[in-house]
Amino acid sequence: KAGVTQTPRYLIKTRGQQVTLSCSPISGHRSVSWYQQTPGQGLQFLFEYFSETQRNKGNFPGRFSGRQFSNSRSEMNVSTLELGDSALYLCASSVLAGNSYNEQFFGPGTRLTVL
Amino acid sequence: TQLLEQSPQFLSIQEGENLTVYCNSSSVFSSLQWYRQEPGEGPVLLVTVVTGGEVKKLKRLTFQFGDARKDSSLHITAAQTGDTGLYLCAGSSKAAGNKLTFGGGTRVLVKP
């Protein structure tokens, strides 16, 4: 079974631009979560989608948004990029949102650099 | 807000030595997971513990969930260079909508 895939793997943008990242979950996984990882803040939860609906949301500004399609693929968008948005963005899928274990299967991440 | 604190933040040991990583919280979790992340890759799930007092073994790795389900530990016996990586604990609870809360991570370096 193929793992979680994320595209692109690397991205360089400048301040003020916007960016869209893509994630394809493991086949059969209906829940997709997004995380931001930085050296200073660690792994922080952005949001979770299940059946095209946002189920959970972290404490990030409205510039960060996401969506999920009917085939469970997900995208996240960051508008008006800031230098502090430079990070590794990780997507993770799980079998079923709402199960008490919520075991996550991560993709390799997209390394975003904002200049 | 549920918080998970990991200690130590960094650990450097020689191959063959043992090590223990701790994950502590004031909150109760319904489950706790341990992940390992290597440079340039996403975290990989190692184990999930769900019962207070539970001990799980994965080859040279031993995971323990505290009786009160507020803390956990990861012990590696006779560490190998391949154990090098960032170890992350993560907890989930129904009270928090099953959202995973991650600890800050412990960076382990096993030197040959």
Side-chain angles (χ1 to χ4, degrees), chain B residues 38-71:
Chain B
E38 298 186 28
E41 300 178 10
V44 174
L45 179 66
L46 295 174
V47 78
T48 300
V49 285
V50 300
T51 305
E54 182 178 4
V55 176
K56 275 192 176 178
K57 292 193 174 184
L58 188 69
K59 296 183 181 177
R60 295 175 294 99
L61 278 60
T62 301
F63 304 86
Q64 187 161 9
F65 201 12
D67 290 341
R69 291 185 289 134
K70 293 182 178 181
D71 55 84

Side-chain angles (χ1 to χ4, degrees), chain A:
Chain A
K1 203 182 247 188
V4 177
T5 58
Q6 291 187 245
T7 56
R9 291 293 310 274
Y10 302 93
L11 208 47
I12 299 176
K13 292 284 187 178
T14 56
R15 278 182 299 174
Q17 287 187 308
Q18 67 97 25
V19 67
T20 299
L21 311 181
S22 182
C23 171
S24 292
I26 292 172
S27 177
H29 286 195
R30 297 168 65 190
S31 169
V32 173
S33 297
W34 288 89
Y35 298 85
Q36 181 195 66
Q37 187 175 33
T38 59
Q41 299 297 318
L43 231 162
Q44 293 188 289
F45 173 76
L46 281 156
F47 26 66
E48 178 193 4
Y49 286 88
F50 177 74
S51 291
E52 302 177 65
T53 302
Q54 189 180 87
R55 285 190 71 249
N56 275 312
K57 190 177 188 304
N59 297 321
F60 278 81
R63 300 184 297 107
F64 292 82
S65 63
R67 59 178 176 168
Q68 186 181 33
F69 302 97
S70 57
N71 61 359
S72 293
R73 193 177 68 84
S74 178
E75 288 181 348
M76 69 162 279
N77 184 278
V78 188
S79 62
T80 320
L81 284 166
E82 301 176 359
L83 295 178
D85 296 333
S86 293
L88 181 66
Y89 288 88
L90 291 160
C91 166
S93 70
S94 63
V95 173
L96 182 66
N99 78 65
S100 59
Y101 305 161
N102 204 10
E103 293 167 334
Q104 307 275 284
F105 294 84
F106 284 86
T110 294
R111 171 77 59 188
L112 172 65
T113 301
V114 182
L115 302 175

Side-chain angles (χ1 to χ4, degrees), chain B residues 2 5 9-12 26-27 32 38 42 52 55 57 59 62 64-65 68 70 82 87 91 93 101-104 107:
Chain B
Q2 297 183 312
E5 292 188 8
Q9 288 185 297
F10 180 72
L11 203 51
S12 177
S26 58
S27 304
L32 202 135
E38 298 186 28
V55 176
K57 292 193 174 184
K59 296 183 181 177
T62 301
Q64 187 161 9
F65 201 12
K70 293 182 178 181
Y87 289 82
S93 71
T101 299
F102 278 84
R107 195 164 294 281

Side-chain angles (χ1 to χ4, degrees), chain B residues 13-19 60 76-83 108 110-111:
Chain B
I13 60 171
Q14 294 295 137
E15 196 169 29
E17 293 182 337
N18 302 332
L19 69 97
R60 295 175 294 99
I76 301 179
T77 304
Q80 300 175 357
T81 55
D83 295 324
V108 171
V110 182
K111 295 180 283 189

